[in-house]
PDB file of all heavy atoms in Angstrom:
ATOM      1  N   HIS A 238     -76.497 144.582 -38.564  1.00 98.00           N
ATOM      2  CA  HIS A 238     -77.904 145.021 -38.485  1.00 98.00           C
ATOM      3  C   HIS A 238     -78.168 145.990 -39.626  1.00 98.00           C
ATOM      4  O   HIS A 238     -77.329 146.766 -40.022  1.00 98.00           O
ATOM      5  CB  HIS A 238     -78.189 145.719 -37.151  1.00 98.00           C
ATOM      6  CG  HIS A 238     -79.598 146.200 -37.043  1.00 98.00           C
ATOM      7  ND1 HIS A 238     -80.675 145.346 -36.899  1.00 98.00           N
ATOM      8  CD2 HIS A 238     -80.112 147.457 -37.084  1.00 98.00           C
ATOM      9  CE1 HIS A 238     -81.794 146.057 -36.863  1.00 98.00           C
ATOM     10  NE2 HIS A 238     -81.496 147.341 -36.957  1.00 98.00           N
ATOM     11  N   ASP A 239     -79.388 145.920 -40.155  1.00 97.00           N
ATOM     12  CA  ASP A 239     -79.793 146.724 -41.309  1.00 97.00           C
ATOM     13  C   ASP A 239     -80.869 147.712 -40.872  1.00 97.00           C
ATOM     14  O   ASP A 239     -82.006 147.316 -40.573  1.00 97.00           O
ATOM     15  CB  ASP A 239     -80.326 145.803 -42.393  1.00 97.00           C
ATOM     16  CG  ASP A 239     -80.614 146.535 -43.713  1.00 97.00           C
ATOM     17  OD1 ASP A 239     -80.468 147.767 -43.741  1.00 97.00           O
ATOM     18  OD2 ASP A 239     -81.001 145.875 -44.678  1.00 97.00           O
ATOM     19  N   ILE A 240     -80.563 148.986 -40.851  1.00 96.00           N
ATOM     20  CA  ILE A 240     -81.562 150.019 -40.547  1.00 96.00           C
ATOM     21  C   ILE A 240     -82.521 150.153 -41.707  1.00 96.00           C
ATOM     22  O   ILE A 240     -83.691 150.519 -41.545  1.00 96.00           O
ATOM     23  CB  ILE A 240     -80.885 151.364 -40.224  1.00 96.00           C
ATOM     24  CG1 ILE A 240     -80.105 151.276 -38.897  1.00 96.00           C
ATOM     25  CG2 ILE A 240     -81.932 152.496 -40.147  1.00 96.00           C
ATOM     26  CD1 ILE A 240     -79.422 152.563 -38.516  1.00 96.00           C
ATOM     27  N   HIS A 241     -82.033 149.897 -42.905  1.00 94.00           N
ATOM     28  CA  HIS A 241     -82.865 149.949 -44.128  1.00 94.00           C
ATOM     29  C   HIS A 241     -83.440 151.336 -44.336  1.00 94.00           C
ATOM     30  O   HIS A 241     -84.594 151.487 -44.740  1.00 94.00           O
ATOM     31  CB  HIS A 241     -83.961 148.898 -44.093  1.00 94.00           C
ATOM     32  CG  HIS A 241     -84.111 148.134 -45.367  1.00 94.00           C
ATOM     33  ND1 HIS A 241     -85.052 148.445 -46.331  1.00 94.00           N
ATOM     34  CD2 HIS A 241     -83.438 147.077 -45.874  1.00 94.00           C
ATOM     35  CE1 HIS A 241     -84.951 147.608 -47.336  1.00 94.00           C
ATOM     36  NE2 HIS A 241     -83.972 146.771 -47.108  1.00 94.00           N
ATOM     37  N   GLU A 242     -82.631 152.357 -44.048  1.00 94.00           N
ATOM     38  CA  GLU A 242     -82.976 153.763 -44.194  1.00 94.00           C
ATOM     39  C   GLU A 242     -84.300 154.132 -43.529  1.00 94.00           C
ATOM     40  O   GLU A 242     -84.998 155.069 -43.947  1.00 94.00           O
ATOM     41  CB  GLU A 242     -82.985 154.180 -45.686  1.00 94.00           C
ATOM     42  CG  GLU A 242     -83.987 153.465 -46.588  1.00 94.00           C
ATOM     43  CD  GLU A 242     -84.003 154.037 -48.007  1.00 94.00           C
ATOM     44  OE1 GLU A 242     -84.100 155.285 -48.165  1.00 94.00           O
ATOM     45  OE2 GLU A 242     -83.940 153.245 -48.940  1.00 94.00           O
ATOM     46  N   ARG A 243     -84.664 153.455 -42.433  1.00 93.00           N
ATOM     47  CA  ARG A 243     -85.934 153.698 -41.746  1.00 93.00           C
ATOM     48  C   ARG A 243     -85.926 154.860 -40.771  1.00 93.00           C
ATOM     49  O   ARG A 243     -86.964 155.246 -40.266  1.00 93.00           O
ATOM     50  CB  ARG A 243     -86.374 152.430 -41.004  1.00 93.00           C
ATOM     51  CG  ARG A 243     -86.772 151.257 -41.921  1.00 93.00           C
ATOM     52  CD  ARG A 243     -87.901 151.679 -42.869  1.00 93.00           C
ATOM     53  NE  ARG A 243     -88.325 150.620 -43.736  1.00 93.00           N
ATOM     54  CZ  ARG A 243     -89.292 149.765 -43.476  1.00 93.00           C
ATOM     55  NH1 ARG A 243     -89.940 149.822 -42.314  1.00 93.00           N
ATOM     56  NH2 ARG A 243     -89.632 148.834 -44.338  1.00 93.00           N
ATOM     57  N   LEU A 244     -84.759 155.432 -40.479  1.00 95.00           N
ATOM     58  CA  LEU A 244     -84.679 156.499 -39.505  1.00 95.00           C
ATOM     59  C   LEU A 244     -84.237 157.790 -40.148  1.00 95.00           C
ATOM     60  O   LEU A 244     -83.487 157.777 -41.140  1.00 95.00           O
ATOM     61  CB  LEU A 244     -83.680 156.123 -38.403  1.00 95.00           C
ATOM     62  CG  LEU A 244     -83.993 154.870 -37.585  1.00 95.00           C
ATOM     63  CD1 LEU A 244     -82.861 154.580 -36.605  1.00 95.00           C
ATOM     64  CD2 LEU A 244     -85.317 155.008 -36.837  1.00 95.00           C
ATOM     65  N   VAL A 245     -84.630 158.915 -39.584  1.00 96.00           N
ATOM     66  CA  VAL A 245     -84.091 160.193 -40.022  1.00 96.00           C
ATOM     67  C   VAL A 245     -82.624 160.210 -39.648  1.00 96.00           C
ATOM     68  O   VAL A 245     -82.172 159.507 -38.736  1.00 96.00           O
ATOM     69  CB  VAL A 245     -84.824 161.375 -39.400  1.00 96.00           C
ATOM     70  CG1 VAL A 245     -86.292 161.384 -39.849  1.00 96.00           C
ATOM     71  CG2 VAL A 245     -84.752 161.358 -37.899  1.00 96.00           C
ATOM     72  N   PRO A 246     -81.779 160.981 -40.358  1.00 97.00           N
ATOM     73  CA  PRO A 246     -80.323 160.898 -40.147  1.00 97.00           C
ATOM     74  C   PRO A 246     -79.859 161.042 -38.715  1.00 97.00           C
ATOM     75  O   PRO A 246     -79.007 160.263 -38.256  1.00 97.00           O
ATOM     76  CB  PRO A 246     -79.801 162.000 -41.049  1.00 97.00           C
ATOM     77  CG  PRO A 246     -80.779 162.079 -42.161  1.00 97.00           C
ATOM     78  CD  PRO A 246     -82.121 161.829 -41.523  1.00 97.00           C
ATOM     79  N   VAL A 247     -80.382 162.002 -37.979  1.00 97.00           N
ATOM     80  CA  VAL A 247     -79.881 162.198 -36.618  1.00 97.00           C
ATOM     81  C   VAL A 247     -80.265 161.023 -35.707  1.00 97.00           C
ATOM     82  O   VAL A 247     -79.476 160.629 -34.841  1.00 97.00           O
ATOM     83  CB  VAL A 247     -80.373 163.557 -36.047  1.00 97.00           C
ATOM     84  CG1 VAL A 247     -81.893 163.524 -35.789  1.00 97.00           C
ATOM     85  CG2 VAL A 247     -79.588 163.918 -34.801  1.00 97.00           C
ATOM     86  N   ALA A 248     -81.423 160.417 -35.962  1.00 97.00           N
ATOM     87  CA  ALA A 248     -81.804 159.242 -35.177  1.00 97.00           C
ATOM     88  C   ALA A 248     -80.934 158.038 -35.517  1.00 97.00           C
ATOM     89  O   ALA A 248     -80.553 157.254 -34.652  1.00 97.00           O
ATOM     90  CB  ALA A 248     -83.263 158.927 -35.421  1.00 97.00           C
ATOM     91  N   ALA A 249     -80.585 157.920 -36.783  1.00 97.00           N
ATOM     92  CA  ALA A 249     -79.684 156.835 -37.199  1.00 97.00           C
ATOM     93  C   ALA A 249     -78.310 157.001 -36.568  1.00 97.00           C
ATOM     94  O   ALA A 249     -77.685 156.041 -36.125  1.00 97.00           O
ATOM     95  CB  ALA A 249     -79.567 156.792 -38.713  1.00 97.00           C
ATOM     96  N   LEU A 250     -77.839 158.250 -36.524  1.00 98.00           N
ATOM     97  CA  LEU A 250     -76.547 158.522 -35.899  1.00 98.00           C
ATOM     98  C   LEU A 250     -76.577 158.185 -34.404  1.00 98.00           C
ATOM     99  O   LEU A 250     -75.658 157.566 -33.879  1.00 98.00           O
ATOM    100  CB  LEU A 250     -76.170 159.994 -36.084  1.00 98.00           C
ATOM    101  CG  LEU A 250     -74.912 160.468 -35.372  1.00 98.00           C
ATOM    102  CD1 LEU A 250     -73.702 159.636 -35.779  1.00 98.00           C
ATOM    103  CD2 LEU A 250     -74.656 161.943 -35.687  1.00 98.00           C
ATOM    104  N   ASN A 251     -77.629 158.581 -33.727  1.00 98.00           N
ATOM    105  CA  ASN A 251     -77.748 158.256 -32.297  1.00 98.00           C
ATOM    106  C   ASN A 251     -77.775 156.749 -32.072  1.00 98.00           C
ATOM    107  O   ASN A 251     -77.154 156.255 -31.107  1.00 98.00           O
ATOM    108  CB  ASN A 251     -79.027 158.888 -31.726  1.00 98.00           C
ATOM    109  CG  ASN A 251     -78.855 160.375 -31.430  1.00 98.00           C
ATOM    110  OD1 ASN A 251     -77.760 160.831 -31.123  1.00 98.00           O
ATOM    111  ND2 ASN A 251     -79.925 161.123 -31.584  1.00 98.00           N
ATOM    112  N   LEU A 252     -78.452 155.998 -32.949  1.00 98.00           N
ATOM    113  CA  LEU A 252     -78.496 154.551 -32.822  1.00 98.00           C
ATOM    114  C   LEU A 252     -77.081 153.970 -33.035  1.00 98.00           C
ATOM    115  O   LEU A 252     -76.663 153.073 -32.295  1.00 98.00           O
ATOM    116  CB  LEU A 252     -79.472 153.917 -33.785  1.00 98.00           C
ATOM    117  CG  LEU A 252     -79.565 152.407 -33.766  1.00 98.00           C
ATOM    118  CD1 LEU A 252     -79.932 151.886 -32.385  1.00 98.00           C
ATOM    119  CD2 LEU A 252     -80.580 151.916 -34.794  1.00 98.00           C
ATOM    120  N   ALA A 253     -76.375 154.477 -34.021  1.00 98.00           N
ATOM    121  CA  ALA A 253     -75.032 153.995 -34.286  1.00 98.00           C
ATOM    122  C   ALA A 253     -74.136 154.214 -33.068  1.00 98.00           C
ATOM    123  O   ALA A 253     -73.303 153.337 -32.718  1.00 98.00           O
ATOM    124  CB  ALA A 253     -74.442 154.695 -35.496  1.00 98.00           C
ATOM    125  N   LYS A 254     -74.284 155.316 -32.383  1.00 98.00           N
ATOM    126  CA  LYS A 254     -73.491 155.606 -31.185  1.00 98.00           C
ATOM    127  C   LYS A 254     -73.881 154.693 -30.045  1.00 98.00           C
ATOM    128  O   LYS A 254     -73.021 154.164 -29.311  1.00 98.00           O
ATOM    129  CB  LYS A 254     -73.653 157.094 -30.801  1.00 98.00           C
ATOM    130  CG  LYS A 254     -73.046 158.038 -31.815  1.00 98.00           C
ATOM    131  CD  LYS A 254     -73.487 159.465 -31.648  1.00 98.00           C
ATOM    132  CE  LYS A 254     -72.942 160.098 -30.368  1.00 98.00           C
ATOM    133  NZ  LYS A 254     -73.269 161.528 -30.330  1.00 98.00           N
TER     134      LYS A 254
END
Side-chain angles (χ1 to χ4, degrees):
H238 179 71
D239 187 357
I240 292 180
H241 225 262
E242 62 175 310
R243 291 303 181 91
L244 300 175
V245 297
V247 69
L250 174 57
N251 281 329
L252 179 57
K254 292 165 70 173

